[in-house]
């Protein structure tokens, strides 16, 4: 059965109806692996290398281009006066060094690594050429997007690509934890979340409010559980933990996705490097770091207050436009103020952040680019670009507040 066939309709006490997709319980993974006679991971990825297709990731400054099996390039383009385009670029790897037909045995890690060498010489390492390991991870709904690019040591990089191609191989499939998630979506006429669940969550929030300064781990256990059930961390190699995928996102229709986003119950996660960011619309911006030893450290960068934002928008541009060719205006970006974050040691004032929401066209509804800038100590700008935002920018009111398109 496919994921979609396997569902039941649940009705709550209040007669609200939800379609719940049941997990496919997988068992006997090891047996399945032993008996597997299908194509090798290399063969499964072959179409990607043959088509000379490329994937991109846009960050605040650099754009990364991975042309599978050919090269990895990092570049930044600037238009100078007179329309001359100035390009700064580095190749992080060219051509495959070893086509890893020898399978990395005994590794439980669900990724398939390919080494790319012979990149732009690195002046910090006696002109040794830059090199990269590209790790392909199975993700059923992915479009070969670049999940992350990290510089592991000077001029040596690690690139993680999510691809559905590997999912046909039992070894690379998600190893589901014993807890199987059940994703439910509301049927027409029922609220996004059952009324009783909303009440329960509100009570839990109320109970947590007064002790904001208590160490995060102690109080956010409920939030932790919610987070970890959506994001399955996959340990890659012996360092950083990668968070792969919000699997349920593609199961939601566009309209539901927009409602979930605007109600703050579907949050965006992003960031590469030490800090990751979580942005829940109309709720908060958190930055967090997770590692196996010390657990999760997180900082409240800003919390939403409509009143504070409206005050802020009287002095700042909450929505900006651009002019179309035909002379009509369209909203280009909205900016929202989230104040009252955790107190900053350097300034003794609460942290605050301006969230700038922009449209980013993409085939994949969950492609999201998030970057954080800190122009002044503890005063941040969070850039968030996603296809979800494209559909709602034009609903912006004078304060830049967005709503579900009618």
């Amino acid at each position: 059965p496919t994921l979609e066939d396997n569902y039941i309709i649940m009705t709550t006490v209040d007669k609200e109806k939800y379609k719940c997709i049941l997990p496919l319980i997988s068992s006997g993974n090891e047996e399945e692996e032993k008996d597997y006679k299908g194509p090798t991971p290399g063969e499964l990825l072959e179409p990607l290398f043959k088509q000379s297709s490329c994937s991109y990731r846009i960050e605040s400054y650099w754009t990364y281009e991975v042309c599978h099996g050919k090269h990895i390039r990092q570049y930044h383009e600037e238009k100078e006066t007179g329309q001359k385009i100035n390009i700064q670029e580095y190749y992080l790897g060219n051509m495959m060094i070893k086509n890893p037909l020898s399978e990395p045995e005994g590794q439980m890690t669900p990724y398939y690594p390919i080494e790319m060498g012979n990149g732009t010489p690195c002046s910090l390492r006696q002109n040794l050429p830059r090199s990269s390991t590209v790790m392909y991870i199975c993700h059923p709904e992915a479009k070969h997007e670049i999940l992350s690019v990290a510089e592991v040591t000077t001029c040596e990089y690690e690139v993680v690509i999510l691809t559905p191609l590997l999912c046909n191989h039992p070894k690379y499939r998600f190893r589901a934890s014993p807890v199987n998630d059940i994703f439910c979506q509301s049927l027409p006429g029922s609220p996004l979340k059952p009324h009783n669940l909303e009440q329960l969550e509100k009570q839990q929030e109320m109970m947590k409010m007064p002790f904001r300064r208590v160490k995060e781990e102690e109080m956010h256990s409920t939030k932790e559980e919610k987070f970890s059930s959506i994001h399955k961390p996959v340990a890659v190699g012996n360092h950083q933990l990668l968070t792969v995928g919000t699997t349920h996102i593609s199961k939601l229709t566009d309209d539901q996705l927009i409602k979930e986003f605007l109600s703050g119950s579907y949050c965006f996660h992003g960031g590469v490097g030490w800090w990751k960011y979580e942005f829940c619309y109309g709720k908060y911006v958190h930055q967090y770091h997770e590692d196996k030893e010390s657990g999760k450290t997180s900082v409240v960068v800003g919390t939403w207050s409509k009143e504070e934002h409206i005050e802020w928008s009287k002095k700042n541009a909450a929505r900006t436009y651009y002019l179309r060719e035909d002379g009509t205006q369209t909203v280009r970006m909205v900016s929202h103020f989230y104040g009252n974050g955790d107190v900053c040691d350097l300034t003794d004032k609460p942290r605050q952040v301006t969230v700038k929401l922009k449209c980013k066209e993409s085939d994949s509804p969950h492609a999201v680019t998030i970057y954080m800038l800190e122009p002044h100590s503890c005063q941040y700008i969070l850039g968030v670009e996603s296809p979800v935002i494209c559909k709602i920018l034009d609903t912006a009111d004078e304060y830049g507040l967005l709503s579900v398109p009618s």
Side-chain angles (χ1 to χ4, degrees):
T2 68
L3 270 171
E4 285 296 340
D5 305 334
N6 216 11
Y7 69 87
I8 50 170
I9 304 285
M10 304 279 284
T11 309
T12 66
V13 206
D14 303 327
K15 303 275 182 286
E16 302 151 320
K17 284 192 165 15
Y18 295 85
K19 173 179 169 180
C20 297
I21 297 167
L22 299 172
L24 294 168
I25 309 294
S26 57
S27 58
N29 260 340
E30 284 63 37
E31 281 309 299
E32 198 186 350
E33 258 180 57
K34 271 211 288 288
D35 303 339
Y36 177 75
K37 300 281 186 289
T40 65
E43 289 165 351
L44 289 172
L45 291 171
E46 191 86 334
L48 210 50
F49 301 140
K50 277 231 162 74
Q51 286 163 7
S52 59
S53 57
C54 305
S55 304
Y56 294 86
R57 183 183 174 93
I58 302 164
E59 300 212 340
S60 48
Y61 185 80
W62 294 110
T63 298
Y64 295 93
E65 171 185 74
V66 173
C67 294
H68 302 279
K70 309 275 186 306
H71 68 249
I72 304 164
R73 183 169 74 109
Q74 172 186 27
Y75 65 94
H76 175 74
E77 290 181 355
E78 258 169 33
K79 279 201 171 64
E80 290 187 348
T81 44
Q83 291 304 297
K84 185 172 152 289
I85 293 184
N86 184 21
I87 294 192
Q88 191 183 350
E89 68 173 3
Y90 298 99
Y91 281 85
L92 309 186
N94 282 302
M95 68 176 210
M96 298 195 264
I97 305 178
K98 41 177 190 288
N99 201 359
L101 285 167
S102 53
E103 289 301 296
E105 273 314 312
Q107 279 180 318
M108 279 302 285
T109 37
Y111 63 84
Y112 180 73
I114 282 179
E115 304 292 331
M116 309 273 289
N118 201 16
T120 308
C122 174
S123 54
L124 297 171
R125 295 184 62 182
Q126 289 83 48
N127 281 344
L128 190 78
R130 287 174 166 76
S131 67
S132 299
T133 304
V134 186
M135 298 175 168
Y136 290 90
I137 292 184
C138 144
H139 192 295
E141 283 101 29
K143 304 264 195 316
H144 319 298
E145 49 267 66
I146 303 173
L147 178 71
S148 64
V149 179
E151 193 165 0
V152 191
T153 54
T154 307
C155 294
E156 288 184 16
Y157 305 83
E158 196 174 80
V159 180
V160 178
I161 307 275
L162 301 180
T163 173
L165 297 176
L166 279 180
C167 301
N168 292 332
H169 195 299
K171 178 177 170 183
Y172 296 93
R173 254 175 239 150
F174 268 79
R175 293 234 187 307
S177 52
V179 183
N180 285 288
D181 303 329
I182 299 178
F183 294 117
C184 297
Q185 52 197 51
S186 56
L187 293 174
S190 295
L192 274 172
K193 267 191 195 162
H195 175 72
N196 286 345
L197 181 62
E198 282 280 9
Q199 295 304 97
L200 184 69
E201 286 180 351
K202 279 207 183 80
Q203 284 167 356
Q204 288 174 338
E205 278 303 309
M206 292 309 290
M207 286 163 68
K208 293 191 307 212
M209 284 314 274
F211 10 91
R212 259 278 291 297
R213 300 278 177 270
V214 180
K215 213 165 153 230
E216 288 269 331
E217 291 93 281
E218 272 123 60
M219 40 181 273
H220 273 42
S221 58
T222 47
K223 183 168 156 291
E224 278 295 287
E225 282 148 24
K226 189 170 119 223
F227 177 77
S228 58
S229 68
I230 296 178
H231 290 253
K232 298 263 190 290
V234 175
V236 171
N238 49 7
H239 50 284
Q240 98 237 59
L241 267 153
L242 283 176
T243 313
V244 180
T246 20
T247 353
H248 73 299
I249 247 337
S250 59
K251 305 271 183 293
L252 296 170
T253 62
D254 283 356
D255 294 353
Q256 279 181 313
L257 190 52
I258 288 168
K259 280 186 190 146
E260 295 254 337
F261 171 67
L262 290 174
S263 69
S265 59
Y266 168 61
C267 302
F268 284 151
H269 294 264
V272 286
W274 174 267
W275 287 113
K276 305 276 187 278
Y277 307 101
E278 177 183 36
F279 164 60
C280 301
Y281 181 90
K283 288 193 174 170
Y284 56 75
V285 175
H286 286 180
Q287 71 174 15
Y288 61 94
H289 171 72
E290 259 177 317
D291 64 43
K292 290 199 272 289
E293 283 72 57
S294 51
K296 182 169 175 180
T297 325
S298 77
V299 177
V300 179
V301 183
T303 2
W304 176 251
S305 146
K306 191 171 171 181
E307 293 66 40
E308 280 185 27
H309 168 73
I310 288 174
E311 276 311 302
W312 176 90
S313 70
K314 289 173 185 166
K315 303 185 203 58
N316 298 275
R319 64 181 168 180
T320 53
Y321 294 97
Y322 54 37
L323 232 60
R324 288 207 188 96
E325 306 267 300
D326 61 6
T328 55
Q329 277 188 335
T330 173
V331 179
R332 187 178 77 88
M333 176 174 81
V334 294
S335 302
H336 294 167
F337 176 77
Y338 286 67
N340 193 28
D342 286 339
V343 173
C344 170
D345 299 338
L346 296 167
T347 60
D348 264 339
K349 291 194 178 75
R351 290 172 164 81
Q352 54 186 61
V353 58
T354 305
V355 177
K356 294 181 179 291
L357 300 171
K358 285 187 192 163
C359 162
K360 168 189 180 173
E361 295 294 351
S362 165
D363 298 340
S364 160
H366 48 241
V368 59
T369 301
I370 291 191
Y371 54 89
M372 182 82 108
L373 309 170
E374 191 174 352
H376 307 287
S377 294
C378 297
Q379 295 191 0
Y380 304 86
I381 292 173
L382 184 75
V384 180
E385 298 171 20
S386 154
V388 178
I389 297 168
C390 304
K391 304 197 169 58
I392 49 181
L393 269 182
D394 281 328
T395 66
D397 65 9
E398 58 188 304
Y399 306 118
L401 302 176
L402 302 169
S403 52
V404 178
S406 44

